[in-house]
Amino acid sequence: MKNKEFSDITVKNICSFALIHRTTFYQHFFDKYDLLVYLISSLTKEFFSIDIQQRINNPFSSINNTINNVDELKAIKEKQSNDKEFERATTNHFIQILQNDILENQQKITTPPDIPIELIFYIYGSVLFGFIEWIQNSKTKINTDSKKLDELFRRSINIHVKNNQNPEQIKSLFNQHNR
């Protein structure tokens, strides 16, 4: 993937490069997307060392920092920068990871009392996907600074990850956010 765009890579190319038979490939992976997810997962293990509060509240900074701190990922990202198929596959992978963070940490997440926590899983993923589509398809210049995107994202979705604050501090956060 450092030499060829993902959309141009076939299972046959992968097998030739790896000097394996197609049946061997299919014993381990469903398709090239499955292999991509495996590769990205193995290269982004560092992502999971980032605090859950940081990952959920600042998804763009978290993903950006992870990608830019792994040399192999950085090189792949540069080569694949114009490949929509690669972007879609990796975007979906990261959104699934972040949605799983929501599911696995429901007890740490505060939402307005009238919004079911189960709904947040879908809202969070949809808003992230919407932001990424907006960035990729907008006809106007968008500031893609990850900190500014995180701020806009937090204003767009009303959830917070609990830290060691007491309930009054959390209520205060919601009141400040909703002004």
Side-chain angles (χ1 to χ4, degrees), residues 6-20:
F6 182 73
S7 58
D8 295 332
I9 297 172
T10 65
V11 170
K12 183 178 180 179
N13 298 143
I14 295 166
C15 292
S16 290
F17 182 79
L19 301 174
I20 61 169

Side-chain angles (χ1 to χ4, degrees), residues 142-164:
I142 297 172
N143 183 347
T144 56
D145 174 68
S146 55
K147 288 182 181 179
K148 291 186 190 248
L149 288 172
D150 287 334
E151 182 183 323
L152 185 58
F153 178 79
R154 284 191 304 274
R155 289 193 335 239
S156 300
I157 186 167
N158 194 11
I159 68 167
H160 301 279
V161 178
K162 296 177 193 173
N163 55 19
N164 294 330

Side-chain angles (χ1 to χ4, degrees), residues 55-66:
R55 283 196 319 255
I56 291 176
N57 289 339
N58 301 297
F60 296 100
S61 294
S62 298
I63 291 169
N64 192 41
N65 290 341
T66 298

Side-chain angles (χ1 to χ4, degrees), residues 20 53 78 84 101 117 131 138:
I20 61 169
Q53 184 176 15
E78 287 171 15
K84 297 291 183 196
D101 279 347
I117 189 70
F131 265 72
S138 180

Side-chain angles (χ1 to χ4, degrees), residues 53-98:
Q53 184 176 15
Q54 175 69 16
R55 283 196 319 255
I56 291 176
N57 289 339
N58 301 297
F60 296 100
S61 294
S62 298
I63 291 169
N64 192 41
N65 290 341
T66 298
I67 289 172
N68 288 327
N69 288 330
V70 178
D71 290 337
E72 293 92 353
L73 268 179
K74 201 177 203 178
I76 291 169
K77 180 184 172 193
E78 287 171 15
K79 176 63 185 173
Q80 303 299 328
S81 64
N82 294 318
D83 191 324
K84 297 291 183 196
E85 193 174 331
F86 176 83
E87 279 184 16
R88 180 65 53 116
T90 54
T91 296
N92 288 340
H93 174 65
F94 276 110
I95 288 174
Q96 286 177 339
I97 289 171
L98 290 164

